[in-house]
Amino acid sequence: RYKVERVLGTGGFGITYLCEQTGLGRKVAVKEFFMRDLNGRTESTVTCSTQSGLYDKYKDKFIKEAQSLSKLSHPHIIKVLEVFENNNTQYYVMEYCEGGSLDEKISARGGLSEEETLKYTGQIMSALSYMHAHHMLHLDLKPGNVMLRSNGEAVLIDFGFSKQFDESGHPESSTTIGGGTPGYAPLEQSNYDGRGFPKTMDVYALGGTMFKMLTGNRPPEASMILNYGFPTEE
């Protein structure tokens, strides 16, 4: 159903491909669950090392990520089109954003104008507000996890660290959360005790993303800011 054209990106838990949807001629992004430290291939079939229990644990997490994302419907959150199993692993299909990542745009231009920064910030903020209203935190917001459509709209992607909370503000699964990305994650993210619904973690990451847009530089790590204060630009 999908013809692979090229690899769009790789990570510790997956590979994302640019594909053409057979019969429709539509370009889509297909994310495959593939742990580079545990998995291999025999032709197109994904194989696993002896640590199958760890592989199954993270594969279930991958499926839950896709299911959670498919329930979100917002113009600035990536659209999940399909989830399926094949080649002894799991996949989910997303819309393809032709404009590349926000990080690539910042790097190519050395920073963005105030007008562009405010436009993208508003779009990302709208997506985060929608997520928070649906009791979900993103927990890894950064320019590399924001894609751009061909019309220039920003789209939030990569929900691998996201965490869902119930109506009382308690996490619906284990309290362990990813530490996030240095420069974008606040101190409290790595020390989260499982209590409350800390929207401030995403808000801090949004501030870090704005800093990168305006300056072209990655913001300092939160520990540096704690010790030496906020950075200043001449």
Side-chain angles (χ1 to χ4, degrees):
R1 290 177 292 169
Y2 300 97
K3 179 183 177 181
V4 176
E5 296 190 353
R6 61 183 173 90
V7 172
L8 291 173
T10 61
F13 295 91
I15 304 172
T16 304
Y17 305 94
L18 172 63
C19 299
E20 181 178 302
Q21 193 167 6
T22 307
L24 296 178
R26 176 170 62 173
K27 303 290 186 185
V28 292
V30 178
K31 188 171 184 179
E32 174 188 55
F33 178 68
F34 188 93
M35 296 182 69
R36 61 188 173 198
D37 293 334
L38 298 181
N39 293 128
R41 294 190 196 276
T42 300
E43 296 182 346
S44 60
T45 301
V46 173
T47 59
C48 184
S49 73
T50 55
Q51 301 182 60
S52 58
L54 187 63
Y55 173 71
D56 290 339
K57 172 187 174 181
Y58 282 103
K59 184 168 70 171
D60 289 342
K61 188 175 184 298
F62 181 87
I63 296 169
K64 289 178 181 177
E65 173 191 345
Q67 292 171 338
S68 297
L69 189 49
S70 67
K71 296 175 184 177
L72 300 177
S73 179
H74 187 275
H76 299 295
I77 295 177
I78 196 75
K79 293 180 175 64
V80 171
L81 308 174
E82 183 182 10
V83 180
F84 66 92
E85 183 174 358
N86 206 348
N87 301 324
N88 196 38
T89 191
Q90 294 284 339
Y91 300 83
Y92 64 86
V93 184
M94 302 168 283
E95 64 170 311
Y96 171 56
C97 297
E98 298 176 343
S101 74
L102 179 59
D103 198 46
E104 290 169 339
K105 182 169 185 174
I106 295 169
S107 297
R109 295 174 48 183
L112 305 182
S113 68
E114 180 180 337
E115 181 181 2
E116 287 177 302
T117 298
L118 290 175
K119 180 186 77 170
Y120 291 135
T121 299
Q123 293 174 354
I124 299 166
M125 189 185 303
S126 176
L128 288 177
S129 295
Y130 175 87
M131 288 183 64
H132 294 167
H134 288 77
H135 307 285
M136 182 182 290
L137 299 177
H138 187 277
L139 298 174
D140 197 24
L141 171 61
K142 56 186 177 183
N145 282 341
V146 177
M147 300 300 292
L148 302 175
R149 294 192 177 103
S150 57
N151 64 2
E153 290 182 341
V155 182
L156 191 57
I157 68 164
D158 200 338
F159 288 67
F161 283 170
S162 65
K163 182 72 69 174
Q164 288 186 294
F165 288 72
D166 62 23
E167 296 288 341
S168 301
H170 298 105
E172 293 185 340
S173 57
S174 68
T175 57
T176 302
I177 63 174
T181 300
Y184 301 97
L187 289 174
E188 61 267 27
Q189 186 159 335
S190 59
N191 299 310
Y192 177 55
D193 60 7
R195 292 182 295 180
F197 183 64
K199 300 177 186 178
T200 50
M201 295 184 188
D202 283 342
V203 175
Y204 185 97
L206 179 61
T209 299
M210 289 182 70
F211 181 89
K212 178 69 180 286
M213 283 192 278
L214 288 169
T215 67
N217 300 316
R218 195 200 78 175
E221 294 186 24
S223 58
M224 294 291 291
I225 294 176
L226 177 66
N227 291 325
Y228 302 107
F230 286 102
T232 58
E233 289 293 315
E234 296 297 335

